[in-house]
Amino acid sequence: QLQLQESGPGLVKPSETLSLTCTVSGDSMTSSSYYWAWIRQPPGKGLEWIGSIYYSGRAYYEPSLKSRLSLPLDASKNQFSLNLTSVTAADTAIYYCVRHFVVAGSIPQFDHWGQGSLVIVSS
Amino acid sequence: QSVLTQPPSVSGAPGQRVTISCTGSSSNIGAGYDVHWYQQLPGTSPKLLLYANNNRPSGVPDRFSGSKSGASASLAITGLQAEDEGDYYCQSYDNSRSTLYVFGTGTKVTVL
């Protein structure tokens, strides 16, 4: 059974880098059917796609975050990560790692979600 | 910056039917891209509820159904149950280059 688990600091200072890691168990990250994504949700608000990465390294980013974002992936460890630089209070959110399932004839769907990791940006 | 608009809230008594609309534009739903729906129960992660407009993943009751027409989509819950109370989000793809994968603003379903 596929499981995704986020890990990382729950508190980050303004202007510093937010770093989270997602560990995937129960499936291979190198399947051609999957991207691996990050989605965030500010407290009490809606969902925002951050970016998606393929095992080959091909990645797609939310344009408004692209200049501050990197999504490294290490398939040998079954992990992918999120690095967001120069954070502000606006980056405070629950961060979810998600499997982004590519389906022929349709747009990819976010079909498995981690439990989420709350990251607060505050001094 | 959600580009798919949903009503903030809908409510209904147990057993009733409620619908949630999701209004997009010519760069997303109106361009022919499919819509997926997610259910987020209180204190939990979102869960894929419907994919490609009206398809249920294994385990999702047939009380949930969806449709799409033009630049809009809708989710219907028939036979509303207390366990359905939570937030619902639509999601699609946008080709405007301002973003790629877009979510709706979210709708809170309250069972009276």
Side-chain angles (χ1 to χ4, degrees), chain B residues 14 36 38-39 42 66 103:
Chain B
H36 307 316
Y38 301 86
Q39 176 193 58
F103 286 94

Side-chain angles (χ1 to χ4, degrees), chain A:
Chain A
Q1 180 179 349
L2 176 67
Q3 290 189 323
L4 298 96
Q5 179 68 57
E6 305 89 351
S7 59
L11 180 65
V12 181
K13 290 182 169 56
S15 80
E16 295 191 346
T17 297
L18 182 161
S19 294
L20 293 171
T21 295
C22 181
T23 301
V24 179
S25 59
D27 202 353
S28 169
M29 295 190 68
T30 59
S31 167
S32 60
S33 297
Y34 309 138
Y35 277 76
W36 303 93
W38 290 95
I39 291 170
R40 68 182 181 180
Q41 184 174 35
K45 296 188 178 180
L47 301 168
E48 180 185 25
W49 173 74
I50 296 171
S52 298
I53 186 163
Y54 199 54
Y55 77 92
S56 64
R58 182 177 187 178
Y60 298 93
Y61 305 104
E62 162 59 41
S64 66
L65 298 174
K66 186 175 181 179
S67 64
R68 300 194 289 133
L69 190 60
S70 68
L71 301 179
L73 183 149
D74 187 339
S76 68
K77 295 183 178 179
N78 260 29
Q79 292 180 332
F80 63 107
S81 299
L82 164 69
N83 295 318
L84 185 65
T85 63
S86 305
V87 295
T88 69
D91 295 309
T92 293
I94 299 172
Y95 286 77
Y96 297 100
C97 60
V98 189
R99 192 176 77 173
H100 202 181
F101 182 33
V102 178
V103 180
S106 182
I107 61 171
Q109 57 198 242
F110 300 107
D111 70 334
H112 280 86
W113 297 62
Q115 65 182 30
S117 179
L118 174 61
V119 179
I120 297 172
V121 178
S122 175
S123 56

Side-chain angles (χ1 to χ4, degrees), chain B residues 15-89:
Chain B
Q16 284 190 330
R17 180 179 187 268
V18 297
T19 61
I20 300 170
S21 61
C22 173
T23 303
S25 67
S26 59
S27 64
N28 42 69
I29 301 174
Y33 297 111
D34 285 340
V35 176
H36 307 316
W37 289 90
Y38 301 86
Q39 176 193 58
Q40 186 174 30
L41 300 177
T44 70
S45 306
K47 163 193 163 186
L48 180 64
L49 186 67
L50 295 176
Y51 65 92
N53 309 315
N54 190 24
N55 295 278
R56 291 182 303 276
S58 174
V60 173
D62 59 6
R63 304 185 290 105
F64 296 94
S65 63
S67 64
K68 190 187 86 164
S69 178
S72 296
S74 64
L75 168 69
I77 309 174
T78 56
L80 192 64
Q81 298 184 6
E83 66 203 49
D84 300 332
E85 190 162 285
D87 297 319
Y88 292 78
Y89 296 90

